[in-house]
Amino acid sequence: MKIFSGIQPSGQFHIGNFLGAMKNWVVLQKENDCIFCIVDLHAITVDYPPKEMPQRILDATKDALAVGIDPAKSILFRQSDRPEHAELAWLLNTITNMGELSRMTQYKEKAEKHQESVGLFDYPVLMAADILIYKADGVPVGEDQTQHVELARDLARRFNSKFGQTFPEPKLLLTPTKRILGLDGQGKMSKSNPSSTYIALNDSPDTIRQKIALATTDAGNEPEISNATKNLIGLIEAFTGKERAEYYFEARRQGTIKYSEMKPELAEAIIKELEPIQKKRAEISDSNVKSILSDGAKKLEGVAQKTIKEIKEKMGLVI
Ligand code: AMP
Ligand code: TRP
């Protein structure tokens, strides 16, 4: 399969990104033809500090490498280094309806918090262009991106029926950990929420212990298990396996659960999983990252330009 996915360089990655997307990328790259993209043009659709952006791009790339993306197996590059993405987005804009973009839940959420720019509105079309320019078959993302991948499928189908068979319909590839909640149990874990609600990939062991110790739980004996508690037991499953999660679920059902036992177990498991990632990250230099990104963009030049040429011909733009 040809796989494409992207991640925004918008600050620190957390264990939600890791479990929902990046960890799966590392698995997929073993047997597939994978392209992973640092989507800087998406990150500028909400307010951001321009002076910090270069460092954020380098940091996001380092995180991807540290988690295990191997530039010898996969292509890792930065979106704005391949101008064909923005060009295809424009061409796709002409077959996209205002209505379908207005219905995007992520747009509605972000438009409440940020300036409602045309870029923010058009974000899903740029995402469809990212995927379709390489004619990808599979898109591994977290659940919050489902509607956007659906739009990419709709646009592929629409383009094919208007202008002739061109694009495969990319499949949504979700992981079992497709939606990790914040440690307060309120909505998805997100770097735009207070840092006490997420575990960043580069949090120190003490910070991780502290954050998990303060994570919200229910009292342990009401009939309903709260979302916050379910989420923590879900994290136990993700970091230590099904057996331990079953043990804690059963204890919760019996009303005998001890969070004072569960929380340190979870914290130590997260620390253990992140330790080699943090070690590897510290060894990657900025200049190494820059050359990996520029090599990646060069490798994609031929295929991206070929798709643009094909599409322009089909749309009647070649004289
Ligand atoms: P972003 O940081 O928004 O660019 O997201 C990068 C990837 O991580 C996307 O595939 C998201 O769907 C995924 N992701 C982000 N937050 C979460 C979360 N709380 N749970 C699961 N997946 C997530
Ligand atoms: N919008 C995605 C997110 O915030 C990132 C992204 C941009 C992406 N282009 C993509 C993901 C193409 C998959 C495929 O997570």
Side-chain angles (χ1 to χ4, degrees):
M1 269 225 282
K2 190 156 193 181
I3 302 285
F4 184 95
S5 195
I7 194 153
Q8 302 190 57
S10 44
Q12 293 188 319
F13 289 155
H14 50 69
I15 57 171
N17 304 124
F18 177 63
L19 296 174
M22 288 172 114
K23 202 176 172 188
N24 192 25
W25 297 2
V26 178
V27 175
L28 288 166
Q29 78 177 347
K30 290 198 186 118
E31 292 186 351
N32 300 277
D33 190 1
C34 292
I35 305 174
F36 300 116
C37 184
I38 308 299
V39 292
D40 52 355
L41 297 178
H42 278 109
I44 61 169
T45 58
V46 293
D47 288 337
Y48 71 100
K51 284 208 177 74
E52 280 178 29
M53 192 48 96
Q55 193 58 47
R56 288 187 180 189
I57 293 165
L58 295 173
D59 285 347
T61 313
K62 283 186 191 176
D63 280 330
L65 292 166
V67 161
I69 299 304
D70 178 357
K73 289 196 191 121
S74 306
I75 297 182
L76 180 61
F77 78 113
R78 159 171 70 148
Q79 191 180 32
S80 68
D81 283 335
R82 284 266 45 95
E84 297 83 4
H85 291 235
E87 190 173 4
L88 180 57
W90 180 261
L91 299 170
L92 294 176
N93 273 336
T94 64
I95 62 163
T96 307
N97 304 320
M98 299 291 284
E100 58 194 343
L101 294 185
S102 313
R103 284 193 293 276
M104 292 288 160
T105 51
Q106 197 160 85
Y107 165 69
K108 288 192 267 187
E109 278 166 24
K110 287 190 181 176
E112 276 180 19
K113 287 195 214 151
H114 305 273
Q115 174 106 31
E116 270 179 80
S117 69
V118 176
L120 185 62
F121 188 66
D122 206 30
Y123 172 120
V125 179
L126 178 60
M127 179 161 159
D130 296 339
I131 299 165
L132 298 181
I133 192 127
Y134 304 111
K135 302 193 179 182
D137 313 292
V139 186
V141 284
E143 189 176 59
D144 59 340
Q145 299 301 313
T146 305
Q147 218 183 1
H148 295 159
V149 177
E150 269 307 313
L151 178 78
R153 292 170 62 82
D154 289 345
L155 292 180
R157 209 176 306 124
R158 198 171 304 155
F159 188 96
N160 292 343
S161 76
K162 261 185 138 111
F163 301 108
Q165 183 59 38
T166 309
F167 298 117
E169 281 178 40
K171 282 194 192 62
L172 173 70
L173 305 176
L174 293 175
T175 59
T177 44
K178 59 188 189 292
R179 188 165 188 268
I180 304 296
L181 302 184
L183 298 177
D184 54 358
Q186 307 276 318
K188 69 163 189 173
M189 184 174 284
S190 164
K191 51 203 160 200
S192 48
N193 293 336
S195 69
S196 59
T197 65
Y198 61 81
I199 307 271
L201 290 189
N202 62 1
D203 275 347
S204 69
D206 279 344
T207 305
I208 295 173
R209 287 183 193 112
Q210 250 169 31
K211 285 183 180 177
I212 296 289
L214 294 174
T216 307
T217 58
D218 54 27
N221 52 11
E222 312 94 326
E224 273 284 294
I225 309 184
S226 73
N227 287 337
T229 293
K230 277 189 203 146
N231 189 52
L232 285 187
I233 302 180
L235 289 176
I236 286 271
E237 175 162 357
F239 287 100
T240 67
K242 232 188 173 68
E243 212 174 291
R244 295 305 292 157
E246 269 310 313
Y247 164 78
Y248 283 115
F249 262 125
E250 193 46 38
R252 175 61 185 78
R253 279 184 217 111
Q254 310 277 338
T256 58
I257 193 165
K258 287 200 188 73
Y259 294 121
S260 58
E261 173 196 6
M262 185 179 99
K263 284 180 162 182
E265 182 176 343
L266 175 58
E268 297 313 312
I270 296 175
I271 292 166
K272 194 164 155 228
E273 179 129 2
L274 296 188
E275 191 186 80
I277 297 176
Q278 295 178 349
K279 196 159 166 264
K280 195 163 166 198
R281 194 184 187 289
E283 289 161 4
I284 307 169
S285 71
D286 286 357
S287 70
N288 194 1
V289 166
K290 286 181 197 170
S291 81
I292 288 168
L293 289 178
S294 76
D295 286 354
K298 270 192 217 109
K299 283 187 203 152
L300 293 170
E301 182 174 5
V303 43
Q305 290 190 354
K306 185 162 172 250
T307 306
I308 291 289
K309 184 163 175 273
E310 178 189 0
I311 285 157
K312 283 188 163 173
E313 272 165 6
K314 288 187 168 155
M315 293 181 84
L317 296 172
V318 176
I319 52 169

